[in-house]
Amino acid sequence: MKLFARSIATVSAGLVALTFLSACAQSSSSEVDGVVVDAAGSPLSRCAIEVVVVDAPPYPEISQVTGEDGEFSWTLPDGLYDIVAHCGGEPGRERVQVPSESELRITVQQ
């Protein structure tokens, strides 16, 4: 009887894993492009960009840094996110629904 119960538990765990993997494989992702600017509209380089999941699958990458042109690009699973820019002053924050057709513009107060 113990062997039967162990077999059922193993099969159940396998089904749960397959369901999870199937759900992950079916979710799509899209690229989110943006630029971080100051109050005057000038691009800001070397700002930390953080993705905060609002309503989406968990996302493992924590942050990245803007380029010299203030731009960033991130591939995210479809869902709702807050994109936060940290540049030394008050952080800028924009909410985005992925997929998105427009480029984000995050203004940071320095």
Side-chain angles (χ1 to χ4, degrees), residues 10-98:
T10 301
V11 169
S12 295
L15 288 174
V16 168
L18 283 174
T19 302
F20 175 75
L21 290 174
S22 175
C24 290
Q26 290 175 4
S27 68
S28 61
S29 57
S30 300
E31 191 145 327
V32 174
D33 298 312
V35 62
V36 178
V37 297
D38 63 15
S42 300
L44 295 172
S45 63
R46 296 182 296 279
C47 296
I49 304 297
E50 172 189 14
V51 171
V52 179
V53 175
V54 176
D55 185 20
Y59 191 73
E61 192 169 353
I62 297 171
S63 68
Q64 63 173 262
V65 177
T66 60
E68 290 299 317
D69 53 5
E71 294 183 357
F72 64 92
S73 183
W74 219 316
T75 301
L76 296 170
D78 291 355
L80 187 62
Y81 300 89
D82 282 340
I83 310 296
V84 184
H86 302 274
C87 299
E90 184 69 29
R93 176 183 296 257
E94 290 292 327
R95 184 158 284 183
V96 62
Q97 178 70 50
V98 177

Side-chain angles (χ1 to χ4, degrees), residues 1-15:
M1 189 65 167
K2 285 184 181 181
L3 181 59
F4 178 73
R6 191 175 312 154
S7 296
I8 293 294
T10 301
V11 169
S12 295
L15 288 174

